[in-house]
Structure formats: structure tokens, C-alpha cells
Amino acid sequence: MSIQRNVDLSCFNSFNISCSSSYYSEIYNVAGLENALDFARQRKLECIILGAGSNILFTCDYQGLVLHIKCLGIDIESADGSDKVLVKAAAGENWHQLVTYCLAGGIHGLENLALIPGTVGAAPIQNIGAYGVELEQFLHQVTVYDMQRQQVLTMNQDACEFAYRDSVFKREQRNQLVILDVTLCLSRSTETNTSYQALQQFLEQTMAVELAKVTPRQVFDAVCLIRRSKLPDPKQLGNAGSFFKNPIISRQRCQLLRSQFPNLPVYPTATTDEVKIPAGWLLEQAGWKGRKIGNVGVHQEQSLVLVNYGQGTGLELLELARAMQESVSALYGIDLEAEVRVI
Ligand code: EPU
């Protein structure tokens, strides 16, 4: 085990925020994790688990131990005689590389989740989702290390308690469980999900594809093209994707809002008495799209995305996020919840 002191984290967070961690360790396996946790226990250090750092905002130097998950490996096992395939990937694998690896091997389902930044281990934490698909639809099992019980456990889909951008890993078990690997149930069938309207339009109008004949590869290509046109590449412009969740409000409240704002877009949720409102729309109406304040700002194409123009600090971004929350609250009475983890 190697524990490093005073490590610069600017390359390990997609906002490219300059900050450091008092202690830092790369974790390649359970033995390494146990040793690092022993080290932290002896010195009474707090720990945080870091994947690709694509959903985290550091607002100060971290005084504890950063456990940087680097476990690698992908195993493909056929589930049964059907076209279902179980794919087990270690937590440190890059998510998009897993998506491309599966697609190249004729294993389908993840196409809509192409280009989501981050690691496989981070995917269940916020139940990553895009273009009509959420991770929970494919999740078979997660292997975790329980820091309190000091043992490896497996959790099935139910135990993860998934919801929109939410799971047990973000709530009750926050900072308790370290995800070691994720097993997904995918398919060799070429069935696709083109339910998301913007995806459907892009396939039909821009790619001139007939929806009934669309292939997983075409969905993958469309999702990559849409994302690249709307979302900044963190390597070029520091960001963490959507900074806020899309708020979920009651249908009743939505009706009231709509009487005041007739153009308010509304999306269905799993329950009939609640609807989802695109936070990007609320923020754009509030005048945030493309605004630059000092070294930070709001992306030109997507008001949900906060960006660091290079020299921005975590506190500047946090201040901007708070100002955005306040203006949406004042205009619509809606509280935007951060999706990004703020340290
Ligand atoms: N919109 C605006 N102005 C904006 C942005 C959005 O008016 O600046 C409105 C438009 O009406 C648009 C609608 O919002 O039709 C939806 O926009 P978009 O398709 O870009 O999706 P989103 O709801 O803003 C969510 C996810 C994204 C995911 C996309 C596509 C959340 C918090 N974000 O964004 O996820 O890629 O859907 O499925 O749910 C991420 O989590 O980091 C992320 C990028």
C-alpha cells in the first residue's frame, strides 16, 4: 500500500479545480482498500471515495484520505440459454469504454448511456441516466466493501433502492459502502430504446434513419453526436455535466405554475401524481444560459451545466450555483437540488 501526502487533485476532478488532499491512495483491490482504511482509522482520518471525479466539486483542500478507485477488469458471462448476457465490470473501469466494449461485442442496452463521463463504480451511486434509459434497468448486482462491518457484500437491484439520480449509496449508506464491481444484465438482441424525443428527432431528421429499423450502433452514434453538440468536453472546459437534478413536483403544483407560465415543459415520472420539470428550461428563462461571472459560468448550450474557464475556484462555482438556485426559487418557487457532490 502506498499513501501519498499533499497530492494535487486538479487532474482528478473534471471541473479542473486546483485543490489538494492531505492523504491519497490508489486502490487496486480489496487488500489495498483494507490497508488504506486501517491507515485512516489509526489516524482518525475521514475518507472519500473518488472515481473519475466527474461529479464532484471541491470547494477547499481535503484534510482526509482520498481513496482513488483503480480496480480494473471486465468479465462476460452468458446468463442462460436466452440472449441475456451478464457483464461484470470492476469499479475503476471507464464507463464509456465499457459501453463501447459491449457494443463491439454485440452486447446491447447501454448505447443510450454512451459518453457519460465517469467510472463504472460511480454509475450506480447516482443511477446514471440519459436519453430515455437509466442504469437501474440493467443492474443485476453490485459488489461492495462495507467499511463498518469490514467485509465484502453483494447487493441485488432491489437493495440499491434506485430512484431518479438517486440510490441507497447516496443516502443511508453514504460513505459506508465502497463499490468494487458492477454486474449488468444486457442483451444480444438488437432491440433499441428511442423513446426520448430529442433522440428520435435526431435519428429521423439528422441521420435519416427509419425508427423501426434503427440499430444499437446508430443509437450509440446519435447519442454521441447529441452529447458532443450540447455538453462541453471536460478535457477542454472544466464541468461536471448537469449541476442540478431536474425537480420533481406534484401535478397539482404544476397546474398552478402552468397557469402562470403556459410554456413550462413537463415530463412524466414513474408515478402519475408527479411530474418532472427540466431545470435547464427554468434556468434559461431566468437568464442564466451562457452567462460568465469571473472565471466561471453557465454553458452556452445547456443551462444545467456550470463551467470553469480555467482559473475558477470551487467557491466561485458554489456561489454561482447558489445564485442560480435563488433566482429559480424566487421566480418559480422551486428549489433546485445539486446533483454534483460538493466537498
Ligand atoms: N432546456 C432548456 N434550456 C436549457 C437546457 C434544457 O430549455 O438550457 C429544456 C428543453 O426544453 C429541453 C429539455 O430542457 O428539451 C431537456 O433538455 P436535455 O435533453 O438537454 O436534458 P436535461 O433534462 O437538461 C437530462 C440529464 C442529462 C442527460 C439528458 C439527456 C439530469 C439532471 N440531466 O438533462 O444528464 O444527458 O437529460 O437524457 O437529469 C448529467 O446528469 O450530468 C447529464 C448530462
Side-chain angles (χ1 to χ4, degrees):
M1 173 197 50
S2 131
I3 306 269
Q4 297 169 49
R5 290 284 329 247
N6 300 323
V7 170
D8 175 17
L9 298 178
S10 47
C11 292
F12 302 143
N13 73 93
S14 63
F15 269 122
N16 305 324
I17 295 294
S18 172
C19 60
S20 70
S21 170
S22 299
Y23 299 88
Y24 169 92
S25 182
E26 293 185 344
I27 305 300
Y28 293 91
N29 49 43
V30 174
L33 176 63
E34 285 180 325
N35 286 335
L37 290 172
D38 276 347
F39 177 92
R41 231 173 269 124
Q42 282 158 20
R43 287 162 185 78
K44 298 194 171 26
L45 296 173
E46 246 187 52
C47 296
I48 47 166
I49 319 294
L50 192 64
S54 53
N55 205 45
I56 196 162
L57 174 65
F58 286 102
T59 58
C60 54
D61 289 335
Y62 186 64
Q63 307 298 337
L65 168 64
V66 167
L67 302 167
H68 198 174
I69 306 298
K70 298 272 189 174
C71 320
L72 296 178
I74 301 177
D75 286 325
I76 295 183
E77 322 160 5
S78 275
D80 48 32
S82 72
D83 58 11
K84 295 279 173 239
V85 183
L86 290 181
V87 177
K88 182 179 188 171
E93 288 287 343
N94 172 277
W95 174 262
H96 181 68
Q97 273 168 25
L98 175 67
V99 175
T100 53
Y101 179 87
C102 289
L103 187 63
I107 299 169
H108 308 128
L110 302 182
E111 307 74 56
N112 303 52
L113 304 177
L115 274 190
I116 295 185
T119 57
V120 167
I125 297 176
Q126 59 156 346
N127 185 20
I128 56 168
Y131 303 100
V133 165
E134 284 181 329
L135 180 80
E136 65 177 293
Q137 292 166 237
F138 307 105
L139 193 121
H140 176 68
Q141 188 173 288
V142 181
T143 312
V144 297
Y145 184 84
D146 185 323
M147 295 198 256
Q148 210 148 41
R149 291 202 242 169
Q150 299 182 35
Q151 56 178 297
V152 174
L153 306 170
T154 55
M155 295 169 68
N156 64 17
Q157 210 258 15
D158 271 355
C160 299
E161 296 176 22
F162 288 121
Y164 165 62
R165 290 294 194 279
D166 199 26
S167 72
V168 77
F169 307 108
K170 267 180 122 173
R171 298 189 307 265
E172 299 84 339
Q173 298 295 342
R174 196 186 167 112
N175 298 333
Q176 282 312 309
L177 303 176
V178 182
I179 295 177
L180 299 171
D181 61 57
V182 175
T183 304
L184 303 174
C185 183
L186 302 172
S187 174
R188 292 211 181 269
S189 126
T190 53
E191 215 176 294
T192 54
N193 181 333
T194 54
S195 58
Y196 199 84
Q197 214 190 346
L199 175 62
Q200 223 173 77
Q201 271 173 7
F202 190 87
L203 282 160
E204 288 183 310
Q205 291 164 21
T206 311
M207 289 173 64
V209 177
E210 223 182 291
L211 278 190
K213 293 186 185 158
V214 67
T215 64
R217 162 66 60 182
Q218 287 167 326
V219 171
F220 173 89
D221 289 343
V223 168
C224 290
L225 286 164
I226 301 173
R227 285 190 79 100
R228 287 198 173 107
S229 73
K230 276 195 170 189
L231 300 168
D233 179 350
K235 287 194 194 100
Q236 279 151 25
L237 188 60
N239 77 91
S242 302
F243 195 92
F244 303 104
K245 288 195 208 178
N246 285 327
I248 292 174
I249 62 170
S250 72
R251 214 168 260 285
Q252 212 177 5
R253 188 137 168 251
C254 177
Q255 263 163 10
L256 278 175
L257 270 172
R258 268 201 149 171
S259 61
Q260 229 184 321
F261 307 100
N263 297 330
L264 180 77
V266 174
Y267 296 105
T269 62
T271 58
T272 51
D273 51 356
E274 288 182 322
V275 291
K276 203 190 275 180
I277 308 289
W281 187 89
L282 301 173
L283 289 164
E284 183 173 339
Q285 300 301 306
W288 287 104
K289 197 171 189 174
R291 263 176 75 180
K292 191 172 175 208
I293 297 171
N295 298 307
V296 299
V298 180
H299 189 50
Q300 301 278 357
E301 306 297 332
Q302 234 296 2
S303 321
L304 259 192
V305 178
L306 273 65
V307 297
N308 174 12
Y309 286 103
Q311 301 304 315
T313 65
L315 283 175
E316 276 181 282
L317 281 160
L318 188 60
E319 218 172 283
L320 170 61
R322 284 190 178 142
M324 293 166 82
Q325 281 170 315
E326 272 163 29
S327 78
V328 167
S329 170
L331 272 168
Y332 303 98
I334 290 180
D335 293 327
L336 292 184
E337 193 188 326
E339 189 202 273
V340 167
R341 182 172 179 196
V342 178
I343 301 286

